[in-house]
Coordinates of all heavy atoms in Angstrom, one line a residue:
M1 N -19.0 42.3 173.1 CA -19.8 43.5 173.6 C -19.0 44.8 173.4 O -17.8 44.8 173.3 CB -20.0 43.3 175.1 CG -20.8 42.0 175.5 SD -22.5 42.1 175.0 CE -23.2 42.8 176.5
T2 N -19.8 45.8 173.3 CA -19.2 47.1 173.1 C -19.8 48.0 174.1 O -21.0 48.0 174.4 CB -19.6 47.7 171.7 OG1 -18.9 46.9 170.7 CG2 -19.1 49.1 171.5
R3 N -18.9 48.8 174.8 CA -19.4 49.8 175.8 C -19.8 51.1 175.1 O -19.0 51.6 174.3 CB -18.2 50.0 176.8 CG -18.7 50.5 178.1 CD -17.8 50.0 179.3 NE -18.5 50.4 180.5 CZ -19.5 49.7 181.0 NH1 -19.8 48.5 180.6 NH2 -20.1 50.1 182.1
V4 N -20.9 51.6 175.4 CA -21.4 52.8 174.8 C -21.7 53.9 175.9 O -22.4 53.6 176.8 CB -22.7 52.6 174.0 CG1 -23.0 53.8 173.1 CG2 -22.6 51.4 173.1
R5 N -21.1 55.0 175.7 CA -21.3 56.2 176.7 C -22.2 57.2 176.0 O -21.9 57.6 174.8 CB -19.9 56.7 177.1 CG -20.0 57.7 178.2 CD -18.6 58.2 178.6 NE -17.8 57.1 179.1 CZ -16.5 57.2 179.4 NH1 -15.8 58.3 179.0 NH2 -15.9 56.1 179.9
F6 N -23.1 57.7 176.8 CA -24.1 58.7 176.2 C -23.9 60.0 176.8 O -24.5 60.3 177.9 CB -25.5 58.1 176.5 CG -25.8 56.8 175.9 CD1 -25.5 55.6 176.6 CD2 -26.2 56.6 174.6 CE1 -25.6 54.4 176.1 CE2 -26.4 55.4 174.0 CZ -26.1 54.3 174.8
G7 N -23.1 60.9 176.2 CA -22.9 62.2 176.7 C -22.4 62.2 178.1 O -21.8 61.2 178.6
R8 N -22.7 63.3 178.8 CA -22.3 63.4 180.2 C -23.3 62.8 181.2 O -22.9 62.3 182.3 CB -22.1 64.9 180.6 CG -21.6 65.2 182.0 CD -21.7 66.7 182.3 NE -23.1 67.0 182.2 CZ -23.6 68.3 182.1 NH1 -22.7 69.3 181.9 NH2 -24.9 68.5 182.0
D9 N -24.6 62.8 180.8 CA -25.6 62.6 181.8 C -26.3 61.3 181.8 O -27.1 61.0 182.7 CB -26.7 63.7 181.7 CG -26.1 65.1 181.9 OD1 -25.0 65.2 182.5 OD2 -26.8 66.1 181.4
F10 N -26.0 60.5 180.8 CA -26.8 59.2 180.7 C -26.0 58.0 180.8 O -26.5 56.9 180.4 CB -27.7 59.3 179.4 CG -28.8 60.3 179.5 CD1 -28.6 61.6 179.1 CD2 -30.0 60.0 180.1 CE1 -29.6 62.6 179.2 CE2 -31.0 60.9 180.2 CZ -30.8 62.2 179.8
G11 N -24.9 58.1 181.4 CA -24.1 56.9 181.7 C -23.6 56.1 180.6 O -23.5 56.6 179.4
E12 N -23.4 54.8 180.8 CA -22.9 53.9 179.7 C -23.4 52.5 180.0 O -23.8 52.2 181.1 CB -21.4 54.0 179.6 CG -20.6 53.6 180.9 CD -19.1 53.7 180.7 OE1 -18.7 54.8 180.3 OE2 -18.4 52.7 180.9
L13 N -23.4 51.8 178.9 CA -23.8 50.4 179.1 C -23.2 49.5 178.0 O -22.6 50.1 177.1 CB -25.4 50.2 179.0 CG -26.2 50.9 177.9 CD1 -26.0 50.1 176.6 CD2 -27.6 50.8 178.2
E14 N -23.3 48.2 178.1 CA -22.7 47.3 177.1 C -23.8 46.8 176.2 O -24.9 46.5 176.7 CB -22.0 46.2 177.8 CG -20.7 46.6 178.5 CD -19.8 45.5 178.8 OE1 -20.3 44.3 179.0 OE2 -18.6 45.7 178.8
V15 N -23.5 46.8 174.9 CA -24.5 46.3 174.0 C -23.8 45.2 173.2 O -22.6 45.1 173.0 CB -25.0 47.4 173.1 CG1 -25.7 48.5 173.8 CG2 -23.9 47.9 172.2
S16 N -24.7 44.3 172.6 CA -24.2 43.2 171.8 C -23.9 43.8 170.4 O -24.5 44.8 170.0 CB -25.3 42.1 171.6 OG -25.8 41.8 172.8
L17 N -23.0 43.1 169.7 CA -22.7 43.5 168.3 C -23.9 43.3 167.5 O -24.7 42.4 167.7 CB -21.5 42.6 167.8 CG -20.2 42.7 168.6 CD1 -19.1 41.9 167.8 CD2 -19.8 44.1 168.9
G18 N -24.2 44.3 166.6 CA -25.4 44.3 165.8 C -26.5 45.2 166.3 O -27.4 45.5 165.6
T19 N -26.3 45.7 167.5 CA -27.3 46.6 168.1 C -27.2 48.0 167.4 O -26.1 48.4 167.0 CB -27.0 46.9 169.6 OG1 -26.9 45.6 170.3 CG2 -28.0 47.8 170.3
T20 N -28.4 48.6 167.1 CA -28.3 49.9 166.5 C -28.1 50.9 167.6 O -28.4 50.7 168.8 CB -29.7 50.3 165.8 OG1 -30.7 50.4 166.8 CG2 -30.1 49.3 164.8
L21 N -27.6 52.1 167.2 CA -27.3 53.1 168.2 C -28.6 53.6 168.8 O -28.7 54.1 170.0 CB -26.5 54.3 167.5 CG -25.2 53.9 166.9 CD1 -24.5 55.2 166.4 CD2 -24.3 53.2 167.9
L22 N -29.7 53.6 168.0 CA -31.0 54.0 168.5 C -31.5 53.1 169.6 O -31.9 53.5 170.7 CB -32.0 54.1 167.4 CG -33.4 54.6 167.7 CD1 -33.3 56.0 168.2 CD2 -34.4 54.4 166.6
A23 N -31.3 51.8 169.4 CA -31.7 50.8 170.4 C -30.8 50.9 171.7 O -31.3 50.8 172.8 CB -31.6 49.4 169.9
A24 N -29.6 51.2 171.5 CA -28.7 51.4 172.6 C -29.1 52.6 173.5 O -29.1 52.5 174.7 CB -27.2 51.5 172.1
A25 N -29.4 53.7 172.8 CA -29.8 54.9 173.5 C -31.1 54.6 174.2 O -31.3 55.1 175.4 CB -30.0 56.1 172.5
A26 N -32.0 53.9 173.6 CA -33.3 53.6 174.3 C -33.1 52.8 175.6 O -33.7 53.0 176.6 CB -34.2 52.8 173.3
R27 N -32.1 51.8 175.5 CA -31.8 51.0 176.7 C -31.2 51.9 177.8 O -31.5 51.6 179.0 CB -30.9 49.9 176.3 CG -31.6 48.7 175.8 CD -30.7 47.5 175.7 NE -29.8 47.3 176.8 CZ -28.6 46.6 176.8 NH1 -28.2 46.2 175.6 NH2 -28.0 46.4 177.9
A28 N -30.4 52.9 177.4 CA -29.8 53.7 178.4 C -30.8 54.8 178.9 O -30.4 55.6 179.7 CB -28.6 54.4 177.8
K29 N -32.0 54.9 178.3 CA -32.9 55.9 178.6 C -32.4 57.3 178.2 O -32.7 58.3 178.9 CB -33.4 55.9 180.0 CG -34.1 54.5 180.3 CD -34.9 54.6 181.6 CE -35.6 53.4 182.1 NZ -35.7 52.2 181.2
A30 N -31.5 57.3 177.2 CA -31.0 58.6 176.8 C -31.9 59.1 175.7 O -32.0 58.5 174.6 CB -29.6 58.4 176.2
P31 N -32.6 60.2 175.9 CA -33.6 60.7 174.9 C -33.0 60.9 173.5 O -32.0 61.7 173.4 CB -34.1 62.0 175.5 CG -33.6 62.0 176.9 CD -32.4 61.1 177.0
L32 N -33.6 60.3 172.5 CA -33.1 60.5 171.2 C -34.3 60.5 170.3 O -35.2 59.6 170.4 CB -32.1 59.4 170.8 CG -31.4 59.6 169.5 CD1 -30.6 60.9 169.4 CD2 -30.4 58.4 169.3
G33 N -34.4 61.4 169.4 CA -35.6 61.5 168.5 C -35.7 60.2 167.6 O -34.7 59.6 167.2
N34 N -36.9 59.8 167.3 CA -37.2 58.7 166.4 C -38.5 58.9 165.8 O -39.3 58.0 165.7 CB -37.0 57.4 167.1 CG -38.1 57.1 168.1 OD1 -38.8 58.1 168.6 ND2 -38.4 55.9 168.4
A35 N -38.7 60.1 165.2 CA -40.0 60.5 164.7 C -40.5 59.5 163.6 O -41.7 59.2 163.5 CB -40.0 61.9 164.1
C36 N -39.6 58.9 162.9 CA -40.0 58.0 161.8 C -39.9 56.5 162.3 O -40.1 55.6 161.5 CB -39.2 58.2 160.6 SG -37.5 57.6 160.7
R37 N -39.7 56.3 163.6 CA -39.6 55.0 164.2 C -38.5 54.1 163.5 O -38.8 53.0 163.2 CB -40.9 54.3 164.2 CG -41.9 55.0 165.1 CD -43.3 54.3 165.2 NE -44.2 55.1 165.9 CZ -44.3 55.1 167.2 NH1 -43.5 54.3 167.9 NH2 -45.2 55.8 167.9
G38 N -37.4 54.7 163.2 CA -36.3 53.9 162.7 C -36.4 53.6 161.2 O -35.7 52.7 160.7
Q39 N -37.2 54.3 160.5 CA -37.3 54.1 159.0 C -36.2 54.8 158.2 O -36.0 54.5 157.1 CB -38.6 54.6 158.5 CG -39.8 53.9 159.1 CD -39.8 52.4 158.8 OE1 -39.7 51.9 157.7 NE2 -39.7 51.6 159.9
G40 N -35.4 55.7 158.9 CA -34.3 56.3 158.3 C -34.7 57.5 157.4 O -34.0 57.8 156.5
V41 N -35.8 58.1 157.7 CA -36.2 59.3 156.9 C -36.4 60.6 157.7 O -36.5 61.6 157.0 CB -37.5 58.9 156.2 CG1 -37.3 57.8 155.2 CG2 -38.6 58.6 157.1
C42 N -36.3 60.6 159.0 CA -36.7 61.8 159.7 C -35.5 62.6 160.2 O -35.6 63.8 160.5 CB -37.6 61.5 160.9 SG -36.7 60.7 162.3
R43 N -34.3 62.1 160.3 CA -33.1 62.7 160.8 C -33.1 63.0 162.3 O -32.1 63.5 162.8 CB -32.8 64.1 160.1 CG -32.6 64.0 158.6 CD -32.4 65.4 158.1 NE -31.1 66.0 158.5 CZ -30.2 66.3 157.6 NH1 -30.3 66.0 156.3 NH2 -29.0 66.8 158.0
A44 N -34.2 62.7 162.9 CA -34.3 63.1 164.3 C -33.4 62.3 165.2 O -33.1 62.7 166.3 CB -35.8 62.8 164.8
C45 N -32.9 61.2 164.8 CA -32.0 60.3 165.6 C -30.5 60.6 165.4 O -29.7 59.9 165.9 CB -32.3 58.8 165.3 SG -31.8 58.4 163.6
A46 N -30.2 61.7 164.6 CA -28.8 62.0 164.4 C -28.0 62.1 165.7 O -28.5 62.8 166.6 CB -28.7 63.2 163.5
V47 N -26.9 61.5 165.7 CA -26.0 61.5 166.9 C -24.6 61.7 166.5 O -24.1 61.2 165.5 CB -26.3 60.1 167.7 CG1 -25.7 58.9 167.0 CG2 -25.7 60.2 169.1
R48 N -23.9 62.4 167.4 CA -22.4 62.6 167.1 C -21.6 61.5 167.7 O -21.8 61.2 168.9 CB -22.0 64.0 167.6 CG -20.5 64.2 167.4 CD -20.1 65.6 167.7 NE -18.7 65.7 167.7 CZ -18.0 66.7 168.1 NH1 -18.6 67.8 168.5 NH2 -16.7 66.7 168.2
V49 N -20.7 60.9 166.9 CA -19.8 59.9 167.4 C -18.5 60.6 167.8 O -17.7 61.0 167.0 CB -19.5 58.8 166.3 CG1 -18.6 57.8 166.8 CG2 -20.9 58.2 165.8
V50 N -18.4 60.7 169.1 CA -17.2 61.4 169.7 C -16.0 60.6 169.5 O -14.9 61.1 169.2 CB -17.5 61.8 171.1 CG1 -16.3 62.5 171.7 CG2 -18.7 62.7 171.2
S51 N -16.1 59.3 169.8 CA -15.0 58.4 169.6 C -15.5 57.0 169.4 O -16.6 56.7 169.8 CB -14.0 58.4 170.8 OG -14.7 57.8 171.9
G52 N -14.7 56.2 168.7 CA -15.1 54.8 168.4 C -15.8 54.6 167.1 O -16.5 53.6 166.8
A53 N -15.7 55.6 166.2 CA -16.4 55.5 164.9 C -16.0 54.2 164.1 O -16.8 53.7 163.3 CB -16.1 56.7 164.0
Q54 N -14.8 53.8 164.4 CA -14.3 52.6 163.7 C -15.0 51.3 164.1 O -14.8 50.2 163.5 CB -12.8 52.4 163.9 CG -12.3 52.0 165.3 CD -12.3 53.1 166.3 OE1 -12.7 54.2 166.0 NE2 -11.8 52.8 167.5
L55 N -15.8 51.4 165.2 CA -16.5 50.2 165.7 C -17.9 50.1 165.0 O -18.6 49.1 165.3 CB -16.8 50.4 167.2 CG -15.6 50.7 168.1 CD1 -16.0 50.9 169.5 CD2 -14.5 49.6 168.0
L56 N -18.2 51.0 164.2 CA -19.6 51.0 163.6 C -19.5 50.6 162.1 O -18.5 50.7 161.4 CB -20.1 52.5 163.6 CG -20.2 53.0 165.1 CD1 -20.5 54.5 165.1 CD2 -21.2 52.2 165.9
D57 N -20.7 50.2 161.6 CA -20.7 49.8 160.2 C -20.7 51.1 159.4 O -20.9 52.2 159.9 CB -21.9 49.0 159.9 CG -23.3 49.6 160.3 OD1 -23.3 50.7 160.8 OD2 -24.3 48.9 160.1
T58 N -20.5 51.0 158.1 CA -20.4 52.2 157.3 C -21.8 52.7 156.9 O -22.8 51.9 156.8 CB -19.6 51.9 156.0 OG1 -20.1 50.8 155.3 CG2 -18.1 51.7 156.3
A59 N -21.9 53.9 156.5 CA -23.2 54.5 156.2 C -23.8 53.9 154.9 O -23.1 53.7 153.9 CB -23.1 56.0 156.0
G60 N -25.0 53.5 155.0 CA -25.7 53.0 153.8 C -26.2 54.1 152.9 O -26.1 55.3 153.2
E61 N -26.9 53.7 151.8 CA -27.4 54.7 150.9 C -28.3 55.7 151.5 O -28.2 56.9 151.3 CB -28.1 53.9 149.8 CG -28.7 54.8 148.6 CD -27.6 55.4 147.8 OE1 -26.4 54.9 147.8 OE2 -27.8 56.5 147.2
L62 N -29.2 55.2 152.3 CA -30.2 56.1 152.9 C -29.5 57.2 153.8 O -29.9 58.4 153.7 CB -31.1 55.2 153.8 CG -32.5 55.7 154.1 CD1 -33.3 55.9 152.8 CD2 -33.2 54.6 154.9
E63 N -28.5 56.7 154.5 CA -27.8 57.7 155.4 C -27.0 58.7 154.6 O -26.9 59.8 155.0 CB -27.0 56.9 156.4 CG -26.3 57.8 157.4 CD -25.6 57.0 158.5 OE1 -25.7 55.7 158.6 OE2 -25.0 57.6 159.4
R64 N -26.4 58.2 153.6 CA -25.6 59.1 152.8 C -26.4 60.2 152.2 O -26.0 61.3 152.1 CB -24.8 58.3 151.7 CG -23.6 57.5 152.3 CD -22.6 57.2 151.2 NE -23.2 56.4 150.1 CZ -23.3 55.0 150.1 NH1 -22.9 54.4 151.2 NH2 -23.9 54.4 149.1
Q65 N -27.6 59.8 151.8 CA -28.6 60.8 151.2 C -28.9 61.9 152.2 O -29.3 63.0 151.9 CB -29.8 60.1 150.7 CG -29.6 59.4 149.4 CD -30.8 58.6 149.0 OE1 -31.9 58.7 149.6 NE2 -30.7 57.7 148.0
M66 N -28.9 61.6 153.5 CA -29.2 62.5 154.6 C -28.2 63.6 154.7 O -28.5 64.7 155.2 CB -29.3 61.8 155.9 CG -30.5 61.0 156.1 SD -31.9 62.1 156.5 CE -33.2 60.9 156.6
Q67 N -27.0 63.4 154.2 CA -25.9 64.4 154.3 C -25.7 65.0 155.7 O -25.8 66.2 155.8 CB -26.1 65.4 153.2 CG -26.1 64.8 151.8 CD -26.1 65.9 150.7 OE1 -26.8 66.9 150.8 NE2 -25.5 65.6 149.6
L68 N -25.6 64.2 156.6 CA -25.3 64.6 158.0 C -24.0 65.3 158.1 O -23.1 65.1 157.2 CB -25.4 63.5 159.0 CG -26.7 62.7 159.0 CD1 -26.6 61.5 160.0 CD2 -27.9 63.6 159.5
E69 N -23.8 66.1 159.1 CA -22.5 66.7 159.3 C -21.4 65.7 159.5 O -21.8 64.6 160.1 CB -22.5 67.6 160.6 CG -23.5 68.8 160.5 CD -22.9 69.9 159.6 OE1 -21.7 70.2 159.8 OE2 -23.6 70.3 158.8
P70 N -20.2 65.9 159.2 CA -19.1 64.9 159.4 C -19.1 64.6 160.9 O -19.2 65.4 161.8 CB -17.8 65.7 159.0 CG -18.3 66.8 158.1 CD -19.7 67.1 158.5
G71 N -19.0 63.3 161.2 CA -18.9 62.8 162.6 C -20.3 62.5 163.2 O -20.3 62.0 164.3
W72 N -21.3 62.8 162.4 CA -22.7 62.4 162.9 C -23.2 61.2 162.1 O -22.9 61.1 161.0 CB -23.6 63.6 162.7 CG -23.3 64.7 163.6 CD1 -22.3 65.6 163.6 CD2 -24.1 65.1 164.8 NE1 -22.4 66.5 164.7 CE2 -23.5 66.2 165.4 CE3 -25.3 64.6 165.3 CZ2 -24.0 66.8 166.5 CZ3 -25.8 65.3 166.5 CH2 -25.1 66.3 167.1
R73 N -23.9 60.4 162.8 CA -24.5 59.2 162.2 C -26.0 59.1 162.5 O -26.5 59.7 163.5 CB -23.9 57.9 162.8 CG -22.4 57.8 162.5 CD -22.1 57.6 161.0 NE -22.8 56.6 160.4 CZ -22.3 55.3 160.3 NH1 -21.2 55.0 160.8 NH2 -23.0 54.4 159.6
M74 N -26.7 58.4 161.7 CA -28.1 58.2 161.8 C -28.3 57.0 162.8 O -28.0 55.9 162.4 CB -28.8 57.9 160.5 CG -30.3 58.0 160.5 SD -30.9 57.4 158.9 CE -30.3 58.6 157.8
A75 N -28.7 57.2 164.0 CA -28.6 56.2 165.0 C -29.5 55.0 164.7 O -29.1 53.8 165.0 CB -29.1 56.7 166.4
C76 N -30.6 55.1 164.0 CA -31.5 54.0 163.7 C -30.9 53.1 162.6 O -31.4 51.9 162.5 CB -32.9 54.5 163.3 SG -33.0 55.4 161.8
K77 N -30.0 53.6 161.8 CA -29.4 52.8 160.8 C -28.0 52.4 161.0 O -27.3 51.9 160.1 CB -29.6 53.5 159.4 CG -31.1 53.7 159.0 CD -31.7 52.4 158.7 CE -33.2 52.6 158.3 NZ -33.9 51.3 158.4
T78 N -27.4 52.7 162.1 CA -26.0 52.5 162.4 C -25.9 51.4 163.4 O -26.5 51.5 164.5 CB -25.3 53.8 162.9 OG1 -25.5 54.8 161.9 CG2 -23.9 53.5 163.1
H79 N -25.1 50.3 163.1 CA -25.0 49.2 164.0 C -23.6 49.1 164.6 O -22.6 49.4 163.9 CB -25.2 47.9 163.2 CG -26.6 47.8 162.6 ND1 -26.9 48.5 161.4 CD2 -27.7 47.2 163.0 CE1 -28.2 48.2 161.1 NE2 -28.7 47.5 162.1
V80 N -23.5 48.7 165.8 CA -22.2 48.4 166.4 C -21.7 47.1 165.8 O -22.4 46.1 165.8 CB -22.4 48.2 167.9 CG1 -21.1 47.8 168.6 CG2 -22.9 49.5 168.6
Q81 N -20.4 47.1 165.3 CA -19.9 46.0 164.6 C -18.7 45.4 165.3 O -18.3 44.2 165.1 CB -19.5 46.4 163.2 CG -20.7 46.3 162.3 CD -20.2 46.1 160.8 OE1 -19.2 46.7 160.5 NE2 -21.0 45.4 160.0
R82 N -18.0 46.2 166.1 CA -16.8 45.7 166.8 C -16.8 46.0 168.2 O -17.3 47.1 168.6 CB -15.5 46.3 166.1 CG -15.2 45.6 164.7 CD -14.1 46.3 164.0 NE -14.6 47.4 163.2 CZ -15.2 47.3 162.0 NH1 -15.4 46.2 161.5 NH2 -15.6 48.4 161.4
P83 N -16.1 45.2 169.1 CA -16.0 45.5 170.5 C -15.1 46.7 170.7 O -14.2 47.0 170.0 CB -15.5 44.3 171.1 CG -14.8 43.5 170.0 CD -15.5 43.9 168.7
G84 N -15.4 47.4 171.8 CA -14.5 48.6 172.2 C -15.4 49.6 173.0 O -16.4 49.3 173.5
L85 N -14.9 50.8 173.0 CA -15.6 51.9 173.7 C -16.0 52.9 172.7 O -15.2 53.4 171.9 CB -14.7 52.6 174.7 CG -15.3 53.8 175.4 CD1 -16.5 53.4 176.2 CD2 -14.3 54.5 176.3
L86 N -17.3 53.2 172.7 CA -17.9 54.1 171.8 C -18.5 55.3 172.6 O -19.2 55.0 173.6 CB -19.0 53.4 171.1 CG -19.9 54.1 170.1 CD1 -19.1 54.5 168.9 CD2 -21.0 53.1 169.6
Q87 N -18.3 56.5 172.2 CA -18.8 57.6 172.9 C -19.7 58.4 172.0 O -19.2 58.9 170.9 CB -17.7 58.5 173.5 CG -16.9 57.8 174.5 CD -15.9 58.8 175.2 OE1 -16.3 59.6 176.0 NE2 -14.6 58.6 174.9
L88 N -21.0 58.6 172.4 CA -21.9 59.3 171.6 C -22.4 60.6 172.3 O -22.2 60.7 173.5 CB -23.2 58.4 171.3 CG -22.9 57.1 170.7 CD1 -24.2 56.3 170.6 CD2 -22.2 57.2 169.4
W89 N -22.9 61.5 171.5 CA -23.3 62.8 172.1 C -24.3 63.5 171.3 O -24.3 63.5 170.0 CB -22.0 63.7 172.2 CG -22.3 65.1 172.8 CD1 -22.3 65.4 174.1 CD2 -22.6 66.3 172.1 NE1 -22.6 66.7 174.2 CE2 -22.7 67.3 173.0 CE3 -22.6 66.6 170.7 CZ2 -23.0 68.6 172.6 CZ3 -22.9 67.9 170.3 CH2 -23.1 68.9 171.3
I90 N -25.3 64.1 172.0 CA -26.2 65.1 171.4 C -26.2 66.2 172.5 O -26.0 65.9 173.7 CB -27.6 64.6 171.0 CG1 -28.3 64.1 172.2 CG2 -27.5 63.6 169.9 CD1 -29.8 63.8 172.0
P91 N -26.5 67.4 172.1 CA -26.5 68.5 173.1 C -27.4 68.2 174.4 O -27.0 68.5 175.5 CB -27.1 69.7 172.4 CG -26.7 69.4 170.9 CD -26.8 67.9 170.8
H92 N -28.5 67.5 174.1 CA -29.4 67.2 175.2 C -28.8 66.3 176.3 O -29.4 66.2 177.4 CB -30.7 66.6 174.6 CG -31.9 66.6 175.6 ND1 -32.5 67.8 175.9 CD2 -32.5 65.6 176.2 CE1 -33.5 67.5 176.8 NE2 -33.5 66.2 176.9
W93 N -27.8 65.6 176.0 CA -27.2 64.6 176.9 C -26.2 65.2 177.8 O -25.6 64.6 178.7 CB -26.6 63.4 176.2 CG -27.6 62.6 175.4 CD1 -29.0 62.6 175.5 CD2 -27.3 61.6 174.4 NE1 -29.5 61.7 174.7 CE2 -28.5 61.1 174.0 CE3 -26.1 61.1 173.9 CZ2 -28.6 60.1 173.0 CZ3 -26.2 60.1 172.9 CH2 -27.4 59.6 172.5
G94 N -25.9 66.5 177.6 CA -24.9 67.2 178.4 C -23.5 66.9 178.1 O -23.1 66.0 177.4
G95 N -22.6 67.8 178.6 CA -21.2 67.6 178.4 C -20.7 68.3 177.2 O -21.5 68.8 176.4
D96 N -19.4 68.3 177.0 CA -18.8 69.0 175.9 C -17.9 68.0 175.2 O -16.9 67.5 175.7 CB -17.9 70.1 176.4 CG -17.2 70.8 175.2 OD1 -17.3 70.4 174.1 OD2 -16.5 71.8 175.5
P97 N -18.4 67.5 174.0 CA -17.6 66.5 173.3 C -16.2 66.9 172.9 O -15.4 66.0 172.5 CB -18.5 66.2 172.1 CG -19.3 67.4 171.8 CD -19.5 68.0 173.2
S98 N -15.9 68.2 172.9 CA -14.6 68.6 172.5 C -13.6 68.4 173.7 O -12.4 68.4 173.5 CB -14.6 70.1 172.1 OG -15.7 70.3 171.2
A99 N -14.1 68.3 174.9 CA -13.3 68.2 176.1 C -12.7 66.8 176.1 O -13.3 65.8 175.6 CB -14.1 68.4 177.3
P100 N -11.5 66.7 176.6 CA -10.9 65.3 176.7 C -11.8 64.4 177.6 O -12.3 64.8 178.6 CB -9.5 65.6 177.4 CG -9.3 67.0 177.5 CD -10.7 67.7 177.2
S101 N -11.9 63.2 177.1 CA -12.7 62.2 177.9 C -11.9 61.6 179.0 O -10.7 61.5 178.9 CB -13.3 61.2 176.9 OG -12.2 60.5 176.4
G102 N -12.6 61.2 180.0 CA -11.9 60.6 181.2 C -12.4 59.2 181.5 O -13.3 58.6 181.0
Ligands
FES201 S1 -35.5 57.5 163.6 FE1 -35.9 58.6 161.8 S2 -34.1 58.7 160.7 FE2 -33.6 57.5 162.5

């Protein structure tokens, strides 16, 4: 299991390995865009990985074509692969990802 924290305001939960970040956010009720319903074409699900990037699978072709900012991943196409603590952030979830985590 991997523990995932959603910004300042949406708490954290444990997910099984293989879970997408989009599915994890949905379970946490952390609002995240999914205009294309996880097809990997809308960019609406982009999420910043504040810590724990090493727990995730590497970006596939579709995601690389999106050319997201460094540190951002496409939540619908990114899977948790290793146990640990993962911290995600979008502005809507509150908090400042640059601040030290506690
Ligand atoms: S939901 Fe559209 S790219 Fe992820």
